[in-house]
Amino acid sequence: MSVDRATWQIASSLGPVAESTYWCNVRVFLIRLDCNEDAEYAIAKLIESGLAIDALDQAASHPEELVSHTLIWVLDANYKQLSEQPEASRSQVFGYDLGRILDALQHSGKVRIEELGRLEWQFFPFLRNGRGSVALGQLLQRDPEFFATLVEFAFEPERDDGDDSDEADLSGDAAITQARLAWDLLHDW
């Protein structure tokens, strides 16, 4: 299947179903595209077609060719997909790809530390054995409220079964996982 702007225009002109089918069946390699605008377009179409993991794979291959907001969009789309389909991250290179994109965002100088910290926290389990969480450490040093939130996650007291709190609590397993991750981050810091 051809991967170029002319083909993309034909697929688009055939309607949303044909266009989505095209993007779900084509293999895009950013390195083979003619310009950065084509790379941005291809990444957007992959995400719109529900292929966030493929978009991550390609964005990580050449993150310097994509603008910061596209890289953030790729990460957010992957977080959303992982929330809905936890098995989607089974690839051995998933953490590596995340690290390449986060490194590119950090080196760009265009992304605030709070945004980088948010992204690192979302993907903390995947970063622990590789890149690590550079921005999270900086955020812990700068933001006492974030530090307090992590301490609260890690050391939240047990509640009585009769607690009628109006707070929206995480399910038991999710709360345990969040507490464990917060503890690990604080311990590693």
Side-chain angles (χ1 to χ4, degrees):
M1 230 180 263
S2 186
V3 181
D4 57 37
R5 186 153 307 259
T7 304
W8 300 341
Q9 289 172 343
I10 292 169
S12 177
S13 72
L14 295 173
V17 172
E19 184 177 30
S20 180
T21 300
Y22 169 81
W23 286 105
C24 288
N25 289 295
V26 72
R27 184 76 175 131
V28 177
F29 295 97
L30 296 190
I31 189 110
R32 295 182 184 164
L33 299 178
D34 292 333
C35 61
N36 292 354
E37 291 81 22
D38 285 352
E40 297 278 341
Y41 183 85
I43 292 293
K45 288 301 182 179
L46 288 171
I47 292 171
E48 290 169 7
S49 298
L51 301 168
I53 300 287
D54 292 340
L56 176 83
D57 179 50
Q58 287 306 305
S61 70
H62 295 284
E64 68 282 352
E65 294 185 17
L66 301 168
V67 296
S68 296
H69 74 269
T70 298
L71 294 173
I72 292 169
W73 185 26
V74 167
L75 293 176
D76 285 339
N78 272 272
Y79 182 72
K80 182 178 186 285
Q81 186 170 346
L82 286 174
S83 298
E84 297 166 357
Q85 305 166 342
E87 72 283 353
S89 69
R90 297 283 187 236
S91 166
Q92 293 179 337
V93 297
F94 187 78
Y96 175 77
D97 287 347
L98 290 171
R100 284 193 42 88
I101 291 175
L102 288 165
D103 285 343
L105 288 170
Q106 185 174 7
H107 292 22
S108 75
K110 296 178 181 176
V111 181
R112 295 178 37 231
I113 192 73
E114 293 81 7
E115 180 73 0
L116 283 169
R118 175 188 70 81
L119 293 166
E120 286 183 355
W121 176 245
Q122 287 177 340
F123 294 106
F124 183 64
F126 301 101
L127 301 173
R128 294 184 60 206
N129 297 325
R131 174 190 183 270
S133 49
V134 178
L136 276 174
Q138 293 174 1
L139 193 57
L140 281 167
Q141 290 175 342
R142 292 182 188 182
D143 187 346
E145 187 175 322
F146 180 65
F147 175 78
T149 299
L150 286 180
V151 169
E152 182 181 324
F153 289 161
F155 298 102
E156 184 171 344
E158 291 185 31
R159 299 192 179 187
D160 295 334
D161 288 340
D163 187 359
D164 293 335
S165 176
D166 290 337
E167 295 180 23
D169 292 326
L170 295 173
S171 70
D173 289 343
I176 290 169
T177 299
Q178 184 179 45
R180 190 170 294 131
L181 290 173
W183 168 261
D184 289 345
L185 176 57
L186 291 168
H187 182 267
D188 292 349
W189 179 54

